[in-house]
Amino acid sequence: MFLIPNIIPSPTHARPPPAGIGLKLNSKLSVVEVVPGGAADATGQFSVGDAVTHIDSKLVSGQKLADITHLLIGSEGSKVDITVLKGSGESTTIKLVRKPTPIQQPGTAAAVAQPPPKSEGPSKPITAKPDAPKPQSKPGIGILIQRSATGELSITEVAPGGIAARSGVRVGDVLTHIDARSVVGYTVRDAVPLIAGDGRGSVRLLLLRGESKSQVEVTLHRGGVEEAVNETAQRHDEALAARRDAEQRARKEAEENAQREIESAQSRHEETLRLRKEAEEHAIREQIRAQQEAEDAARAHEEALQLRMAAEEKARKEALEIASRSAAEEARRSETMAQQVSAQGITLEHETQFTAPLEHQRPQAKAYAAPVDDSLQDAGAVRQHAEEAASIEANEAARKHAEQQRLKEEAEDKAEQEAEERALREAQEAARKHAEQQRLLEEAEDKAEREAEQRALLEAQEAARKHAEAQRLQEEAEERSAKEAEERALREADEAARQHAEVQRLKEEAEERAAKEAEAKAKAEAEEAARRHAEAQRLQEEAEERAAKEAEAKAKAEAEEAARKHAEAQRLKEEAEDKADKEAEDQALRDAQIAARKHAEVQRLEEEADDKAKSNEAPGQVDGAGLADVDDPKLTPEEARQIKRAEVASRVAAAKAAAGHQQQGPGSPPEPGATAM
């Protein structure tokens, strides 16, 4: 029972006012022709292939032509800014004044002032094929029911988007109740009319779901083709709204991506400026460091010269002091030696004059004095030589000092010249490095700018390509979805027609089978009623015979019991006569008489009961024995006879009980209504 709409509505487009910009645009918002005499043709700045990216500073890349038509069209004389991307990658904003655009001939692309309505769906209603039977509007809820081998009514299929599907019915659910009515033992033909109804109102279904057999209650609102058509139209509108939302999201994402690219380019530019500033600061720091190094070198050279001069002065002074000390030492030694020689000579003369025994030592003294004289002569020569050597050393020291002074001055001049040359070279090298860094920085900035421009151009081209590809895929998807919708609608219409024909055939077969089954059932019920009536008659006769036999046997047994009790009473009476006085005997006699009377009464009642059982009197007619009237139309004759027999049996039992009470002997309470003798 699937509901298939036979009409799918299609949206319509309103005609725009006849004042535009005079451009022919395709679905990718690219200029395919500049309309002669239009506003764009008057500027002479538009070319075929230009891509429209902004309208009045609003990003329109990625949007559909139908969605931006209201931005291009306006009142005559109004102004609009159009930004286009040229084939060379250059973006240009052109100011236009709207004016009426000539209407194009049929078969050509319409100007923007008269955009062609782009169909969002089929322009004509989709109907079933001519050779297929036209489906009728049948009520239903969109489910298919089958009866399993165990007799359960299972949901085997649920129409997508149908009433049942929206209400939560699932494939595999087992139907147990329809509007609180159990469907146990029902067939599909029995359940379908209850569910479908007259196509109005609602129906409540109780379902068992899953392996746990949990109960689920759903309420379904019946509907026909009209509701399905409305639902389909609503779904179509929802699909269009979802599509518009997706396009808006895509446009928003494109704008965000463009904004991110701009921010990225700005950040890269700022990074380039920062690097350039850091390079300049580094060059300045390097120049300052080179100057400081040159100053440090000059200061070190000056300190070296000062240290060298101090060392030379110290060496000269030390040489003079050493020469002076050497000369003085030599002179002192010479004088000491002369004094010693003189002292020894005086001692020898004294010894010669005053010591005779020492005469033999005189040769030795002379021999000793000769070397001393020689020594004195040598000391003078040594002193003279020492003075000459000291003079020579002093002259040499002066000469060396003059030479050192000359070398010092030459070294200072050379050091100053070298320091100046080195400082000049370092300054030139620092200037060259700074110029090289400046050149590299400018080249890096130029390269970064060129790369940024190339990257932006490539990104713009890639974005345009992606937009064109997305537009093409979207158009293909729209065409494919339209074809699929048309084919699906045709298939659903054919399926609905087939199902309707199948339902009609099954309905006719069910009605025919139901009529035959009803006729056979009525005949069988009549035969069964006759058989039951005959069986009731037979059972009634058998019951009557059995009741008569039971009553006769019971009466006989009661008579025998009464005789036994009478014999027992006689025996007790005889025993009582032996044990009691005359009054006891009279009492026993009275008791026996009462028992006999009761026995006779019982005999009489039994005979009356037998007569009633065998008589053919009307039900409910009894004699004056006091039986209840059983003339009740609701009772069968057999039930009335059973009631009568029960009353008789109760009375007989009461009589027997009374007789037994009277036979209990002396001392028993007298029977109600009896008078003691």
Side-chain angles (χ1 to χ4, degrees):
M1 297 179 337
F2 293 95
L3 301 178
I4 308 299
N6 60 354
I7 295 177
I8 297 178
S10 60
T12 59
H13 297 269
R15 289 180 60 85
I21 62 174
L23 288 177
K24 296 179 184 177
L25 304 179
N26 57 14
S27 58
K28 301 176 182 179
L29 303 185
S30 296
V31 178
V32 296
E33 186 179 350
V34 180
V35 179
D41 185 39
T43 63
Q45 301 183 35
F46 288 92
S47 302
V48 175
D50 292 349
V52 178
T53 60
H54 294 76
I55 300 176
D56 286 333
S57 301
K58 181 179 180 181
L59 182 66
V60 296
S61 295
Q63 299 188 29
K64 296 169 57 179
L65 179 60
D67 296 334
I68 66 169
T69 301
H70 66 284
L71 300 175
L72 298 172
I73 298 173
S75 59
E76 184 177 357
S78 59
K79 297 180 180 180
V80 61
D81 294 339
I82 306 296
T83 302
V84 295
L85 183 64
K86 298 290 186 177
S88 59
E90 179 185 0
S91 181
T92 304
T93 301
I94 305 171
K95 297 183 178 295
L96 297 176
V97 178
R98 296 185 180 94
K99 66 178 183 177
T101 304
I103 300 177
Q104 303 300 306
Q105 295 296 327
T108 62
V112 174
Q114 296 84 21
K118 184 175 180 180
S119 176
E120 299 290 342
S123 58
K124 295 182 179 180
I126 301 176
T127 59
K129 295 181 180 179
D131 53 350
K134 183 178 180 181
Q136 299 178 357
S137 177
K138 288 291 182 180
I141 59 174
I143 59 174
L144 188 63
I145 304 176
Q146 289 185 358
R147 186 176 184 182
S148 63
T150 59
E152 296 178 338
L153 298 180
S154 300
I155 309 297
T156 59
E157 192 171 349
V158 179
I163 300 173
R166 295 196 305 272
S167 300
V169 180
R170 302 178 184 175
V171 175
D173 291 349
V174 178
L175 180 63
T176 61
H177 292 75
I178 302 174
D179 286 333
R181 179 186 298 178
S182 176
V183 296
V184 176
Y186 278 37
T187 63
V188 176
R189 291 186 297 273
D190 298 333
V192 167
L194 298 177
I195 297 174
D198 58 355
R200 296 186 299 272
S202 60
V203 59
R204 289 186 298 110
L205 303 181
L206 186 62
L207 308 170
L208 297 180
R209 178 168 295 170
E211 297 180 355
S212 60
K213 299 297 183 182
S214 59
Q215 290 187 352
V216 178
E217 182 176 349
V218 296
T219 301
L220 306 177
H221 298 279
R222 300 183 181 97
V225 172
E226 292 79 4
E227 294 182 2
V229 170
N230 295 333
E231 293 172 3
T232 304
Q234 183 179 0
R235 289 198 299 272
H236 182 70
D237 295 340
E238 292 175 354
L240 290 178
R243 178 179 171 185
R244 286 193 295 270
D245 294 340
E247 291 175 352
Q248 291 178 358
R249 285 195 299 271
R251 287 195 298 271
K252 186 176 180 181
E253 291 176 358
E255 292 177 356
E256 292 175 353
N257 292 334
Q259 186 66 25
R260 283 196 296 270
E261 290 296 332
I262 294 172
E263 293 175 355
S264 177
Q266 291 177 353
S267 63
R268 288 195 296 270
H269 180 65
E270 292 175 357
E271 182 69 16
T272 303
L273 293 178
R274 185 181 64 80
L275 293 175
R276 180 177 181 179
K277 185 177 180 181
E278 290 179 355
E280 291 176 352
E281 293 176 354
H282 179 71
I284 294 172
R285 287 195 299 270
E286 289 295 328
Q287 186 177 3
I288 295 172
R289 186 176 63 80
Q291 292 177 358
Q292 291 177 353
E293 289 178 354
E295 292 176 357
D296 293 340
R299 193 164 49 251
H301 178 67
E302 185 177 357
E303 291 176 355
L305 291 176
Q306 291 175 358
L307 292 173
R308 182 177 178 182
M309 292 171 63
E312 291 175 352
E313 183 67 21
K314 184 178 180 182
R316 187 179 62 79
K317 289 180 180 180
E318 289 177 354
L320 292 174
E321 289 177 358
I322 291 170
S324 299
R325 281 196 303 270
S326 298
E329 185 67 26
E330 289 294 334
R332 188 181 61 78
R333 281 199 303 269
S334 299
E335 290 177 358
T336 302
M337 188 176 293
Q339 289 175 3
Q340 288 177 355
V341 170
S342 298
Q344 288 176 359
I346 294 171
T347 301
L348 288 174
E349 289 177 357
H350 181 71
E351 287 179 354
T352 302
Q353 292 175 2
F354 297 101
T355 306
L358 295 175
E359 287 292 337
H360 67 279
Q361 295 182 353
R362 190 177 295 280
Q364 295 179 356
K366 289 180 178 181
Y368 178 76
V372 171
D373 293 336
D374 294 337
S375 296
L376 289 174
Q377 293 176 0
D378 292 339
V382 168
R383 182 175 181 179
Q384 185 178 2
H385 178 71
E387 291 176 356
E388 293 176 355
S391 177
I392 293 170
E393 288 178 358
N395 294 330
E396 183 67 23
R399 187 187 61 80
K400 288 182 179 179
H401 176 68
E403 182 68 20
Q404 290 176 354
Q405 191 69 19
R406 184 183 63 78
L407 294 174
K408 177 182 178 182
E409 292 176 356
E410 291 178 356
E412 289 177 353
D413 295 338
K414 185 177 180 181
E416 289 177 359
Q417 187 177 0
E418 290 177 354
E420 291 177 357
E421 292 176 354
R422 185 166 59 251
L424 180 59
R425 286 195 302 271
E426 290 177 353
Q428 292 175 353
E429 182 66 18
R432 187 187 61 79
K433 289 182 178 179
H434 178 67
E436 182 69 16
Q437 290 176 353
Q438 192 72 15
R439 184 183 61 81
L440 293 175
L441 181 61
E442 292 176 357
E443 290 179 355
E445 290 178 353
D446 295 339
K447 184 177 180 181
E449 290 177 358
R450 287 195 301 272
E451 290 178 354
E453 291 176 357
Q454 292 177 358
R455 186 164 53 251
L457 179 59
L458 292 176
E459 290 173 354
Q461 293 175 353
E462 182 66 17
R465 187 188 63 79
K466 288 182 179 179
H467 172 65
E469 182 68 16
Q471 194 73 14
R472 182 183 62 80
L473 293 176
Q474 183 179 0
E475 292 175 357
E476 292 178 356
E478 291 174 356
E479 294 176 359
R480 188 164 52 251
S481 61
K483 292 180 181 179
E484 290 176 355
E486 183 177 359
E487 294 175 355
R488 184 167 58 252
L490 292 176
R491 288 196 302 270
E492 291 175 352
D494 295 340
E495 181 67 18
R498 186 188 63 77
Q499 290 181 358
H500 176 66
E502 182 68 17
V503 168
Q504 287 295 107
R505 183 183 63 81
L506 293 175
K507 183 177 180 181
E508 293 174 358
E509 292 179 356
E511 291 175 353
E512 183 179 356
R513 190 160 46 249
K516 292 181 180 179
E517 289 177 355
E519 184 179 356
K521 187 175 181 181
K523 185 177 180 181
E525 288 177 353
E527 293 176 354
E528 182 67 18
R531 185 184 65 76
R532 288 181 180 178
H533 180 69
E535 182 68 18
Q537 288 294 107
R538 182 181 65 78
L539 292 175
Q540 182 179 357
E541 293 174 357
E542 291 178 355
E544 290 176 353
E545 292 177 0
R546 187 163 53 252
K549 290 179 180 180
E550 290 176 355
E552 184 178 357
K554 187 175 182 181
K556 185 176 179 180
E558 290 176 351
E560 292 176 353
E561 181 67 20
R564 185 184 65 75
K565 288 182 178 181
H566 180 68
E568 181 68 20
Q570 287 295 109
R571 184 180 64 77
L572 292 173
K573 181 180 178 182
E574 291 174 357
E575 292 177 354
E577 287 176 353
D578 296 339
K579 296 178 180 179
D581 53 4
K582 179 64 172 167
E583 186 177 356
E585 292 177 355
D586 293 340
Q587 184 65 32
L589 181 60
R590 283 196 301 275
D591 293 337
Q593 291 175 353
I594 291 172
R597 183 173 57 80
K598 295 289 185 180
H599 179 67
E601 182 67 20
V602 168
Q603 288 290 99
R604 186 182 63 80
L605 291 174
E606 290 178 353
E607 290 176 357
E608 288 177 358
D610 292 337
D611 293 340
K612 284 185 178 67
K614 293 178 181 181
S615 65
N616 292 327
E617 294 179 357
Q621 301 297 327
V622 296
D623 56 5
L627 295 176
D629 186 8
V630 294
D631 190 8
D632 190 351
K634 296 181 180 180
L635 300 176
T636 61
E638 178 63 23
E639 291 175 347
R641 283 193 292 272
Q642 290 179 0
I643 292 173
K644 292 176 182 179
R645 284 197 295 271
E647 291 179 353
V648 171
S650 64
R651 291 191 178 188
V652 170
K656 288 180 180 180
H661 180 72
Q662 292 294 333
Q663 293 177 1
Q664 288 180 359
S668 5
E671 181 182 3
T675 304
M677 297 297 294

